[in-house]
Amino acid sequence: MTDSLLMTDDRRILAGRLGVARGWTDELFGLLTPEALYSRPIPERHRLVFYLGHVEAFDWNLIARQSHGVEPFRAEFDKLFAFGIDPVDGGLPNEPASDWPRREDIDAYNARVREIVDECVSGARSIAPGFDAATIFNMAIEHRLMHAETLAYLLHHVPFDGKRAPASYAPAPQTGSAGRDTAAIPAGTATLGRDRRRGFGWDNEFDAHTVAVPGFTIGANKVTNAQFLEFVADRGYGNRALWSESDWNWKEREERTHPGFWTPRGSGWEFRGMFGALPLPLDAPVYVSQAEASAYARWAGGKLPTEEQFHRAAYGTLADGEREYPWGDAAPEARHGNFDFRHWEPSAVGAFPAGDSAFGVSELVGNGWEWTRTAFAPFDGFEPHPLYAGYSANFFDGDHFVLKGGSPRTAACFLRRSFRNWFQPHYPYLYATFRLVTA
């Protein structure tokens, strides 16, 4: 869609979506105490104050400056808040909190950015020739929604006295019916990627292509805390044979002996909830790094699925057709799973049977991203977007792995079949879980 075809109603829809996305990020910053805003809850990431300016600076640089030619009014902030950090092993940021601007100055910058960006979205400011307005605005909205999830897991690791629960906070449902243990997936095809005629997508989603997938057996549910507890009790973290060399070296260096969301309490465990410690929810999915998931898989005699296997289990049908979502073609609703910011913690597996796939596999979207063993790589036809050339291409290095599905803090737009998340195997902070392929 070119700018000349972006009608007033389309602009109103985009403006409404941007307003909703701003509401999610505003809520998160509103949970923090003034001191916590300048903290660094995860060593590999910037201090939280960076993100306060980053989501607005991204909108400014993409929408106002690049595509609408607006002159900077605070260029030093445009640059300071432009880029985050890919948390590779080592090379941690070490700047003091005093290096960052005062919140009052950032708030003033953000307010002015929003005024000008809103003028661009409404059409009050003209877009420069050659820019696709729909793509640019969708990119800004989805970027902000991605950071709403990033901010959530960052805040999850802020000490409890550094944040306040919203009035609407309620624990996720912890009753469900897990049903059968495994599902047999017959041989068939899976369509990965996105057709360019179907609207906005990130560069790594293109092009759509079909692959043949041999039959396999997959876990009908995500691996739970109770199941992972057996691995911990069997000294899985101390069994060298279960870990690759790089995974073992990471685990030893970080002195990892249990999942990062678990906290030892006496002879048992608690779960690090967003706003307080909770009894370990045994029936909820375990959140771990890909390294930990891979070690568990070896211990249990299985493997992590490939991206193709995930697609076949999630979107395939008994007649070898495909659905838009695991449950069918209807848009995501609350009954389909734990996603779209409805809860702050995982729910019990089996709590949303309406979201099951055609093969009876549960929660393939929501309640935790799912690790695969597929290295993040481009599809045939990949073209980096000229306005964000490094979004995907910088991570086609063999050291990042595809995640599929979504978490409780994943916006519904990312539940589309073609969307791909990715991360390094030694990053234990994500809302990421897994299930096993056993045959």
Side-chain angles (χ1 to χ4, degrees):
M1 180 183 294
T2 63
D3 185 57
S4 61
L5 298 179
L6 193 57
M7 299 292 99
T8 300
D9 286 348
D10 298 317
R11 288 182 178 276
R12 286 174 180 159
I13 291 170
L14 290 165
R17 291 181 58 213
L18 178 58
V20 170
R22 285 172 174 170
W24 290 122
T25 51
D26 288 350
E27 179 190 39
L28 286 161
F29 288 115
L31 302 177
L32 292 168
T33 65
E35 297 76 20
L37 178 65
Y38 286 82
S39 68
R40 180 184 284 123
I42 293 177
E44 296 93 334
R45 290 289 193 184
H46 277 309
R47 295 182 185 275
L48 294 174
V49 66
F50 164 80
Y51 300 94
L52 179 65
H54 173 66
V55 286
E56 307 302 338
F58 183 92
D59 289 357
W60 169 267
N61 287 321
L62 175 68
I63 296 174
R65 182 177 62 82
Q66 289 183 272
S67 63
H68 287 76
V70 183
E71 289 297 320
F73 65 92
R74 191 139 193 192
E76 71 276 18
F77 277 19
D78 302 345
K79 182 177 180 180
L80 176 65
F81 294 112
F83 298 107
I85 297 173
D86 180 38
V88 296
D89 294 337
L92 303 182
N94 60 5
E95 82 290 342
S98 58
D99 280 4
W100 291 95
R102 298 182 310 152
R103 174 156 195 172
E104 294 82 357
D105 293 335
I106 302 172
D107 285 343
Y109 170 80
N110 290 349
R112 182 61 179 145
V113 166
R114 289 190 180 186
E115 288 178 6
I116 296 173
V117 165
D118 286 347
E119 292 171 359
C120 297
V121 176
S122 71
R125 289 178 181 263
S126 298
I127 194 168
F131 287 92
D132 177 10
T135 295
I136 289 165
F137 300 146
N138 274 293
M139 187 178 288
I141 291 165
E142 292 204 358
H143 170 267
R144 182 179 290 268
L145 290 170
M146 289 177 193
H147 275 292
E149 179 163 359
T150 300
L151 281 165
Y153 77 70
L154 289 172
L155 265 63
H156 215 118
H157 293 82
V158 169
F160 299 135
D161 61 3
K163 53 197 172 183
R164 302 170 290 266
S168 60
Y169 171 71
Q174 292 304 324
T175 57
S177 178
R180 55 182 175 162
D181 293 333
T182 61
I185 312 298
T189 59
T191 301
L192 278 65
R194 189 168 184 82
D195 188 316
R196 293 185 186 274
R197 295 169 295 182
R198 296 198 61 191
F200 177 76
W202 294 89
D203 55 13
N204 68 73
E205 296 181 56
F206 301 108
D207 276 337
H209 59 287
T210 301
V211 296
V213 185
F216 60 98
T217 300
I218 194 169
N221 302 288
K222 303 174 192 286
V223 172
T224 65
N225 285 310
Q227 291 170 313
F228 204 86
L229 190 59
E230 297 178 25
F231 170 75
V232 174
D234 197 38
R235 303 182 185 277
Y237 277 85
N239 186 341
R240 178 66 182 82
L242 300 176
W243 302 76
S244 71
E245 182 176 1
S246 63
D247 292 351
W248 178 264
N249 290 340
W250 164 77
K251 179 193 69 70
E252 290 292 284
R253 183 174 64 252
E254 298 294 321
E255 299 181 343
R256 293 265 165 193
T257 59
H258 57 80
F261 285 83
W262 294 13
T263 303
R265 283 292 181 268
S267 59
W269 301 92
E270 289 181 336
F271 180 81
R272 178 190 287 273
M274 176 61 91
F275 302 107
L278 305 171
L280 185 66
L282 295 177
D283 293 334
V286 65
Y287 287 167
V288 289
S289 66
Q290 203 242 24
E292 292 162 298
S294 297
Y296 177 96
R298 295 186 188 96
W299 173 81
K303 296 180 180 179
L304 300 182
T306 64
E307 186 175 9
E308 292 86 351
Q309 287 173 327
F310 181 96
H311 269 257
R312 177 71 180 140
Y315 309 112
T317 68
L318 296 174
D320 203 23
E322 288 182 290
R323 298 170 165 180
E324 287 299 309
Y325 301 98
W327 55 84
D329 296 334
E333 299 177 6
R335 64 192 180 93
H336 292 135
N338 184 4
F339 49 72
D340 208 27
F341 309 107
R342 292 188 182 93
H343 297 289
W344 295 93
E345 288 98 12
S347 51
V349 299
F352 300 95
D356 287 1
S357 78
F359 302 112
V361 184
S362 76
E363 296 181 312
L364 285 154
V365 298
N367 217 24
W369 290 97
E370 297 199 19
W371 287 108
T372 74
R373 67 178 192 269
T374 298
F376 183 55
F379 294 147
D380 288 345
F382 170 80
E383 298 176 2
H385 195 284
L387 292 178
Y388 202 163
Y391 173 75
S392 302
N394 288 353
F395 307 99
F396 296 149
D397 55 9
D399 293 328
H400 293 75
F401 290 84
V402 174
L403 298 102
K404 296 291 294 186
S407 84
R409 307 306 295 178
T410 299
C413 60
F414 298 127
L415 304 183
R416 60 180 179 264
R417 192 171 67 189
S418 59
F419 188 77
R420 309 168 81 200
N421 197 358
W422 70 93
F423 236 97
Q424 298 172 31
H426 303 153
Y427 196 66
Y429 309 107
L430 300 171
Y431 300 137
T433 184
F434 65 102
R435 69 183 74 223
L436 299 183
V437 169
T438 54

